[in-house]
Amino acid sequence: MKKLYIIIPAILCSTFAAAQTMTLKECLEKGVNNSYQIRLVKISEEKAANNDSWSYAGGMPSVNISGGYSGSVSNSDVTLASDGSTVSNRDVFDQTLNASVRADWTLFEGFSIQATRNLLEEMHRQGTIRTRTALEDYIASLTSEYYNLVRQTIRLKNLEYAAALSKERLRIVSSRYDMGGDSRLDLKQAQVYFNADSARILKQREALASANIRINRLMSNQDLTLVHHAADTAINLIEGLDYQTLYDDMMTTNASLLQAESNRSVAIQDRKTVQSRNYPYLRVNAAYGLTHSIYGNSVNSDRTNWGPSFGATLGMNLVNGRQRTQERNALLDIMSAETTVEQLELHLRANLDDFWQAYRNNLLLLELQKQNLKTAQETMEIAQERYMLGNLSGIEMREAQKSLLDAEESLLQVEYDIKICEISLLQISGRILKYME
């Protein structure tokens, strides 16, 4: 009979090569540093920061330096009116060299420069918000996957414990069968139960491997086969979450809401830019130049001019057929942005209430599942004692074992559901960075 379960150690052992144990904080810190998505949004944020300046908005003068050289070779025949004679000039080589420094500055353009500057500031702020949004989404995803790894690890341990019970039962039945105590049916039944538990372990190891692959992908690990062991041996829940605090934080710090409000500010600045075309503009310029001319055939052999020049331009656009349409559309953009903010606020409140209801309900379920697990454990202890004494059938023993496993799975699932609700509540309230503390 030993050949029936000689492969048990190979099936039940849990060995992982190149495994590393990491806390949630360590996972998040490493992942944030390596994440491709976060790196991309940070690059966009840096570009927006570079653009956030008066010079980029057009509020600073532009200075240009230029230089040039030109030459010409000419031939001419001149007939004199006095005596009708002709004066011929051949291959006359004239040259001109020039250099100048010129500054142009728009002093006033209907407040468009100020509006553009404010727009660039808002775009910089949007870049910061987008980075924060990407960071929060990433933390929520990796935290969920980390605790899924914890869940899958606990589930594997529960299944291994169940398989160990089945193995012990198979040993007992085998001994009884050899002594003529149990029937061949009991032996085959025990073997089937053990095989079923072993198969569930293999499937659970597959689920655990998939969880590791997802974590490696989220952390941008090039080695997707790297195995992680969660330092947490249980799904730890945050205590003391308060609905009103979550609501207040959501209305003031939610990244999506801040983005929508920023879009409204951008629409306002765009309208100011359009309206600026109704005002006059004033531009000034100044230059300093040097010109040197060399004459091939003249009374003067060369000539040099140098000195400053300056000017100003005052103007105003009197007629623009598209101006009024652009102003009306800009106003509609503001109305659209304001409506989006109101719609998003309602959507966020609904989501918060939904997550909170699920969170509170799962907390109640948690207490029930804890009581149910305690009862199942006590029932299992009694069943084991009776089974060892021969007062309990194999089917009844299996039922007690299944009830214990079901109770463990139900409790584990409720704990994970609470953790997902917790993550969602912290993210919607803008407090998801708490996991990195």
Side-chain angles (χ1 to χ4, degrees), residues 295-311:
Y295 306 110
N297 183 16
S298 176
V299 176
N300 303 316
S301 63
D302 61 14
R303 179 178 179 178
T304 302
N305 295 330
W306 69 90
S309 62
F310 47 85

PDB file of all heavy atoms in Angstrom, residues 295-311:
ATOM      1  N   TYR A 295      33.541  99.964 -52.420  1.00  0.00           N
ATOM      2  CA  TYR A 295      33.143 100.278 -53.794  1.00  0.00           C
ATOM      3  C   TYR A 295      34.296  99.979 -54.748  1.00  0.00           C
ATOM      4  O   TYR A 295      35.443 100.356 -54.505  1.00  0.00           O
ATOM      5  CB  TYR A 295      32.737 101.745 -53.907  1.00  0.00           C
ATOM      6  CG  TYR A 295      31.675 102.145 -52.904  1.00  0.00           C
ATOM      7  CD1 TYR A 295      31.987 102.997 -51.845  1.00  0.00           C
ATOM      8  CD2 TYR A 295      30.372 101.660 -53.035  1.00  0.00           C
ATOM      9  CE1 TYR A 295      31.027 103.349 -50.922  1.00  0.00           C
ATOM     10  CE2 TYR A 295      29.408 102.019 -52.115  1.00  0.00           C
ATOM     11  CZ  TYR A 295      29.729 102.865 -51.053  1.00  0.00           C
ATOM     12  OH  TYR A 295      28.763 103.209 -50.153  1.00  0.00           O
ATOM     13  N   GLY A 296      33.971  99.348 -55.845  1.00  0.00           N
ATOM     14  CA  GLY A 296      34.998  99.015 -56.829  1.00  0.00           C
ATOM     15  C   GLY A 296      35.317 100.185 -57.761  1.00  0.00           C
ATOM     16  O   GLY A 296      36.427 100.283 -58.279  1.00  0.00           O
ATOM     17  N   ASN A 297      34.343 101.063 -57.986  1.00  0.00           N
ATOM     18  CA  ASN A 297      34.570 102.186 -58.914  1.00  0.00           C
ATOM     19  C   ASN A 297      33.716 103.345 -58.450  1.00  0.00           C
ATOM     20  O   ASN A 297      32.539 103.438 -58.775  1.00  0.00           O
ATOM     21  CB  ASN A 297      34.214 101.774 -60.335  1.00  0.00           C
ATOM     22  CG  ASN A 297      34.513 102.886 -61.340  1.00  0.00           C
ATOM     23  OD1 ASN A 297      35.236 103.831 -61.019  1.00  0.00           O
ATOM     24  ND2 ASN A 297      33.954 102.797 -62.530  1.00  0.00           N
ATOM     25  N   SER A 298      34.276 104.187 -57.595  1.00  0.00           N
ATOM     26  CA  SER A 298      33.514 105.304 -57.045  1.00  0.00           C
ATOM     27  C   SER A 298      34.492 106.360 -56.564  1.00  0.00           C
ATOM     28  O   SER A 298      35.701 106.121 -56.430  1.00  0.00           O
ATOM     29  CB  SER A 298      32.628 104.828 -55.891  1.00  0.00           C
ATOM     30  OG  SER A 298      31.950 105.909 -55.288  1.00  0.00           O
ATOM     31  N   VAL A 299      33.930 107.517 -56.306  1.00  0.00           N
ATOM     32  CA  VAL A 299      34.755 108.583 -55.738  1.00  0.00           C
ATOM     33  C   VAL A 299      35.291 108.140 -54.381  1.00  0.00           C
ATOM     34  O   VAL A 299      36.433 108.423 -54.017  1.00  0.00           O
ATOM     35  CB  VAL A 299      33.946 109.886 -55.626  1.00  0.00           C
ATOM     36  CG1 VAL A 299      34.785 110.975 -54.943  1.00  0.00           C
ATOM     37  CG2 VAL A 299      33.492 110.344 -57.002  1.00  0.00           C
ATOM     38  N   ASN A 300      34.417 107.422 -53.612  1.00  0.00           N
ATOM     39  CA  ASN A 300      34.807 106.894 -52.301  1.00  0.00           C
ATOM     40  C   ASN A 300      35.152 105.413 -52.442  1.00  0.00           C
ATOM     41  O   ASN A 300      34.420 104.651 -53.083  1.00  0.00           O
ATOM     42  CB  ASN A 300      33.694 107.074 -51.287  1.00  0.00           C
ATOM     43  CG  ASN A 300      33.276 108.549 -51.142  1.00  0.00           C
ATOM     44  OD1 ASN A 300      34.136 109.428 -51.069  1.00  0.00           O
ATOM     45  ND2 ASN A 300      31.978 108.791 -51.109  1.00  0.00           N
ATOM     46  N   SER A 301      36.222 105.000 -51.831  1.00  0.00           N
ATOM     47  CA  SER A 301      36.609 103.583 -51.911  1.00  0.00           C
ATOM     48  C   SER A 301      35.793 102.708 -50.964  1.00  0.00           C
ATOM     49  O   SER A 301      35.547 101.533 -51.240  1.00  0.00           O
ATOM     50  CB  SER A 301      38.099 103.432 -51.612  1.00  0.00           C
ATOM     51  OG  SER A 301      38.383 103.862 -50.277  1.00  0.00           O
ATOM     52  N   ASP A 302      35.380 103.251 -49.832  1.00  0.00           N
ATOM     53  CA  ASP A 302      34.547 102.495 -48.898  1.00  0.00           C
ATOM     54  C   ASP A 302      33.757 103.453 -48.015  1.00  0.00           C
ATOM     55  O   ASP A 302      34.019 104.667 -47.991  1.00  0.00           O
ATOM     56  CB  ASP A 302      35.379 101.534 -48.049  1.00  0.00           C
ATOM     57  CG  ASP A 302      36.418 102.254 -47.204  1.00  0.00           C
ATOM     58  OD1 ASP A 302      36.335 103.490 -47.056  1.00  0.00           O
ATOM     59  OD2 ASP A 302      37.320 101.598 -46.681  1.00  0.00           O
ATOM     60  N   ARG A 303      32.792 102.843 -47.252  1.00  0.00           N
ATOM     61  CA  ARG A 303      31.958 103.652 -46.358  1.00  0.00           C
ATOM     62  C   ARG A 303      31.483 102.760 -45.211  1.00  0.00           C
ATOM     63  O   ARG A 303      31.082 101.613 -45.424  1.00  0.00           O
ATOM     64  CB  ARG A 303      30.756 104.210 -47.112  1.00  0.00           C
ATOM     65  CG  ARG A 303      29.829 105.059 -46.233  1.00  0.00           C
ATOM     66  CD  ARG A 303      28.685 105.627 -47.042  1.00  0.00           C
ATOM     67  NE  ARG A 303      27.789 106.405 -46.204  1.00  0.00           N
ATOM     68  CZ  ARG A 303      26.710 107.050 -46.648  1.00  0.00           C
ATOM     69  NH1 ARG A 303      26.399 106.984 -47.962  1.00  0.00           N
ATOM     70  NH2 ARG A 303      25.944 107.750 -45.832  1.00  0.00           N
ATOM     71  N   THR A 304      31.520 103.313 -43.992  1.00  0.00           N
ATOM     72  CA  THR A 304      31.090 102.582 -42.796  1.00  0.00           C
ATOM     73  C   THR A 304      30.006 103.379 -42.070  1.00  0.00           C
ATOM     74  O   THR A 304      30.223 104.558 -41.770  1.00  0.00           O
ATOM     75  CB  THR A 304      32.263 102.318 -41.848  1.00  0.00           C
ATOM     76  OG1 THR A 304      33.273 101.583 -42.548  1.00  0.00           O
ATOM     77  CG2 THR A 304      31.810 101.527 -40.640  1.00  0.00           C
ATOM     78  N   ASN A 305      28.876 102.726 -41.816  1.00  0.00           N
ATOM     79  CA  ASN A 305      27.768 103.325 -41.035  1.00  0.00           C
ATOM     80  C   ASN A 305      27.540 102.489 -39.789  1.00  0.00           C
ATOM     81  O   ASN A 305      27.548 101.254 -39.848  1.00  0.00           O
ATOM     82  CB  ASN A 305      26.474 103.354 -41.861  1.00  0.00           C
ATOM     83  CG  ASN A 305      26.561 104.256 -43.081  1.00  0.00           C
ATOM     84  OD1 ASN A 305      27.283 105.247 -43.062  1.00  0.00           O
ATOM     85  ND2 ASN A 305      25.838 103.898 -44.127  1.00  0.00           N
ATOM     86  N   TRP A 306      27.300 103.116 -38.648  1.00  0.00           N
ATOM     87  CA  TRP A 306      26.968 102.393 -37.414  1.00  0.00           C
ATOM     88  C   TRP A 306      26.136 103.293 -36.520  1.00  0.00           C
ATOM     89  O   TRP A 306      26.128 104.525 -36.670  1.00  0.00           O
ATOM     90  CB  TRP A 306      28.243 101.947 -36.702  1.00  0.00           C
ATOM     91  CG  TRP A 306      29.072 103.057 -36.114  1.00  0.00           C
ATOM     92  CD1 TRP A 306      28.988 103.574 -34.874  1.00  0.00           C
ATOM     93  CD2 TRP A 306      30.107 103.779 -36.785  1.00  0.00           C
ATOM     94  NE1 TRP A 306      29.890 104.585 -34.706  1.00  0.00           N
ATOM     95  CE2 TRP A 306      30.606 104.732 -35.861  1.00  0.00           C
ATOM     96  CE3 TRP A 306      30.652 103.736 -38.071  1.00  0.00           C
ATOM     97  CZ2 TRP A 306      31.611 105.613 -36.178  1.00  0.00           C
ATOM     98  CZ3 TRP A 306      31.670 104.603 -38.368  1.00  0.00           C
ATOM     99  CH2 TRP A 306      32.140 105.528 -37.436  1.00  0.00           C
ATOM    100  N   GLY A 307      25.407 102.621 -35.577  1.00  0.00           N
ATOM    101  CA  GLY A 307      24.598 103.388 -34.647  1.00  0.00           C
ATOM    102  C   GLY A 307      23.305 102.668 -34.294  1.00  0.00           C
ATOM    103  O   GLY A 307      22.944 101.643 -34.879  1.00  0.00           O
ATOM    104  N   PRO A 308      22.574 103.204 -33.324  1.00  0.00           N
ATOM    105  CA  PRO A 308      21.339 102.557 -32.877  1.00  0.00           C
ATOM    106  C   PRO A 308      20.145 102.976 -33.728  1.00  0.00           C
ATOM    107  O   PRO A 308      20.158 104.005 -34.398  1.00  0.00           O
ATOM    108  CB  PRO A 308      21.202 103.079 -31.448  1.00  0.00           C
ATOM    109  CG  PRO A 308      21.833 104.443 -31.492  1.00  0.00           C
ATOM    110  CD  PRO A 308      22.957 104.342 -32.483  1.00  0.00           C
ATOM    111  N   SER A 309      19.115 102.118 -33.628  1.00  0.00           N
ATOM    112  CA  SER A 309      17.812 102.439 -34.217  1.00  0.00           C
ATOM    113  C   SER A 309      16.741 101.910 -33.281  1.00  0.00           C
ATOM    114  O   SER A 309      16.971 100.955 -32.524  1.00  0.00           O
ATOM    115  CB  SER A 309      17.674 101.802 -35.613  1.00  0.00           C
ATOM    116  OG  SER A 309      17.736 100.390 -35.533  1.00  0.00           O
ATOM    117  N   PHE A 310      15.575 102.481 -33.300  1.00  0.00           N
ATOM    118  CA  PHE A 310      14.498 102.082 -32.384  1.00  0.00           C
ATOM    119  C   PHE A 310      13.163 102.466 -32.999  1.00  0.00           C
ATOM    120  O   PHE A 310      13.079 103.256 -33.948  1.00  0.00           O
ATOM    121  CB  PHE A 310      14.679 102.751 -31.017  1.00  0.00           C
ATOM    122  CG  PHE A 310      14.982 104.208 -31.086  1.00  0.00           C
ATOM    123  CD1 PHE A 310      13.962 105.149 -31.182  1.00  0.00           C
ATOM    124  CD2 PHE A 310      16.303 104.661 -31.082  1.00  0.00           C
ATOM    125  CE1 PHE A 310      14.255 106.495 -31.260  1.00  0.00           C
ATOM    126  CE2 PHE A 310      16.587 106.006 -31.155  1.00  0.00           C
ATOM    127  CZ  PHE A 310      15.570 106.932 -31.240  1.00  0.00           C
ATOM    128  N   GLY A 311      12.111 101.830 -32.436  1.00  0.00           N
ATOM    129  CA  GLY A 311      10.787 102.118 -32.949  1.00  0.00           C
ATOM    130  C   GLY A 311       9.716 101.508 -32.053  1.00  0.00           C
ATOM    131  O   GLY A 311      10.001 100.732 -31.135  1.00  0.00           O
TER     132      GLY A 311
END
